[in-house]
Amino acid sequence: MILLLVGLFLGNIPSIAFSASSQQEINCLIINLEYVNCTWTEHEHNYSFKSRFAHKETLDCPKYLRIDGVNMGCMFHYEKLLRFNTLKTWLYSDNGHLVTEKEHNLKAYVKLYPPVNLSVVEKKDAELWLYWNITNNVSCTESEVRHRTDNNSWKNTKPTTRPSFSLPFPSKKRYEFQVRARIESSCGESKFWSDWSEPVYWGSLKNNDTTGLLDNMSVMSLVLCVAVATVILIILSCLLVHSERLRIILIPVVPNAGRNVRDYLAALFDNYDGNVEKWLSMPKDLENGFKPNFTERACPVREYRIVSQSSTDSESILSSPTDLPSDYQCMHSY
């Protein structure tokens, strides 16, 4: 009985291994209509990969995706409109045995790159306009815009085929915009949106958390500046104490005005015998300018006297002045 059970168990081992191998899944996705990326779920062995679009030849994988030396997936070239054809893939083990095969309908399995060159323009009619570009000039695309103010929740807009978006009457807040794209329904709608683009901003941020963070940074900067200034002052003090030369440079000696005046007076009376003009070294022309350059003869002056007349005469007359020589004249010579 035991031998029978062991035999049945050993006989079922290959079927169990085949069942596990048959569970391998291959998932393929067309990236930006440029190449096909196929990956598989089991990564314990180095599988080899083959693929073929309908009406095309079977190709070995030209480029494997590897992690730690183990094949994780395969990338191969995509040609225009091949996504409407059936793709057939095969996965083989190291010894060349077929592990799994699968057929793929890739019409709805297209993922584009995120839009690029986002820009925001404020128009004169109180509107914000957002513009962007689709990578590789992919046609038949639609875009979805999302925006928010001051890090609040996102607001998504309805998908549009135009590479632009307008927002009327913006408030005095900071706006953040992002865009994603996919193949639209007229060209076979894709199930996959691209990743969101890099954000673009307009306005100023008014966020309490950010303000608090900035305040903390300001306080830290102030404390750091005070600490650095204190250290510098301590170093300068030590240098002043231990370096006389540095002390003289930084704090020059104030001259003694009283001593200087005393020295000047001593030089005046000792060396120049009290002659100020000689001490000042006045030019000869300037010195002669102070000397008189003219002479004048003195004119004698005589006073008038009042002489009384007879009592009958009520008037008083002035006496005649003292006679001077007729040839006398007051002369001035210069």
Side-chain angles (χ1 to χ4, degrees):
M1 187 66 177
I2 295 176
L3 293 176
L4 180 60
L5 293 175
V6 172
L8 293 173
F9 177 78
L10 293 176
N12 290 331
I13 288 178
S15 62
I16 295 174
F18 179 80
S19 176
S21 299
S22 63
Q23 295 178 358
Q24 293 300 319
E25 281 290 332
I26 303 176
N27 301 310
C28 296
L29 191 64
I30 300 175
I31 304 299
N32 206 47
L33 299 179
E34 295 178 0
Y35 64 91
V36 182
N37 185 12
C38 293
T39 58
W40 41 90
T41 55
E42 202 274 317
H43 305 140
E44 295 181 0
H45 305 281
N46 255 339
Y47 296 112
S48 58
F49 178 84
K50 291 184 179 183
S51 63
R52 179 174 65 88
F53 278 101
H55 312 298
K56 298 289 183 178
E57 61 179 343
T58 302
L59 300 175
D60 293 330
C61 179
K63 182 179 181 180
Y64 283 101
L65 303 174
R66 298 174 180 269
I67 297 180
D68 298 331
V70 179
N71 294 338
M72 311 287 291
C74 178
M75 295 173 55
F76 55 95
H77 181 67
Y78 169 82
E79 296 181 6
K80 187 177 181 180
L81 301 180
L82 282 181
R83 69 190 184 98
F84 296 100
N85 297 347
T86 302
L87 174 67
K88 192 171 184 178
T89 58
W90 296 270
L91 199 62
Y92 295 89
S93 62
D94 295 338
N95 54 15
H97 289 95
L98 179 64
V99 176
T100 185
E101 63 178 328
K102 185 177 180 180
E103 290 186 352
H104 309 266
N105 183 4
L106 299 181
K107 182 182 72 172
Y109 289 80
V110 180
K111 185 174 183 179
L112 301 178
Y113 288 150
V116 295
N117 299 332
L118 274 70
S119 61
V120 181
V121 179
E122 183 180 6
K123 297 298 182 70
K124 294 182 179 179
D125 51 356
E127 281 187 334
L128 284 182
W129 279 87
L130 173 68
Y131 301 95
W132 62 89
N133 293 330
I134 303 298
T135 58
N136 202 21
N137 294 324
V138 177
S139 59
C140 296
T141 59
E142 61 181 358
S143 303
E144 182 181 3
V145 179
R146 70 176 184 178
H147 63 89
R148 62 179 177 177
T149 57
D150 294 346
N151 292 332
N152 295 322
S153 58
W154 290 100
K155 295 180 181 180
N156 290 52
T157 63
K158 184 179 179 181
T160 177
T161 57
R162 297 181 305 171
S164 62
F165 167 75
S166 63
L167 182 66
F169 307 109
S171 61
K172 299 298 182 180
K173 297 180 179 180
R174 189 189 74 159
Y175 285 84
E176 182 179 359
F177 299 92
Q178 284 184 305
V179 186
R180 63 180 181 178
R182 70 173 178 181
I183 300 295
E184 64 166 338
S185 58
S186 62
C187 294
E189 183 178 309
S190 175
K191 296 180 179 179
F192 296 89
W193 284 95
S194 70
D195 295 333
W196 289 104
S197 66
E198 291 294 326
V200 64
Y201 302 93
W202 180 88
S204 60
L205 179 62
K206 298 179 180 179
N207 183 271
N208 294 332
D209 296 336
T210 305
T211 304
L213 179 60
L214 294 176
D215 292 341
N216 293 335
M217 293 179 63
S218 301
V219 172
M220 292 178 61
S221 301
L222 179 61
V223 172
L224 182 60
C225 292
V226 172
V228 172
T230 304
V231 172
I232 293 175
L233 289 176
I234 294 175
I235 294 175
L236 291 177
S237 301
C238 295
L239 291 175
L240 289 175
V241 172
H242 294 88
S243 177
E244 181 69 17
R245 182 177 181 182
L246 183 61
R247 185 184 68 82
I248 294 175
I249 293 174
L250 295 178
I251 308 177
V253 178
V254 179
N256 189 342
R259 184 178 63 183
N260 293 339
V261 172
R262 185 171 59 252
D263 294 341
Y264 295 151
L265 294 177
L268 174 62
F269 290 99
D270 293 343
N271 300 331
Y272 300 97
D273 298 329
N275 190 341
V276 177
E277 297 177 357
K278 186 177 181 181
W279 176 63
L280 293 176
S281 299
M282 297 177 60
K284 192 66 176 177
D285 296 339
L286 182 62
E287 183 179 356
N288 293 334
F290 288 98
K291 294 180 179 180
N293 57 357
F294 66 93
T295 57
E296 181 180 356
R297 291 183 61 182
C299 291
V301 178
R302 187 174 182 181
E303 296 181 355
Y304 290 89
R305 291 183 305 171
I306 299 175
V307 179
S308 300
Q309 300 294 333
S310 62
S311 58
T312 60
D313 191 357
S314 59
E315 296 181 355
S316 296
I317 58 173
L318 295 174
S319 64
S320 61
T322 305
D323 294 334
L324 294 177
S326 59
D327 59 348
Y328 179 82
Q329 293 182 355
C330 293
M331 302 296 293
H332 298 271
S333 63
Y334 295 91

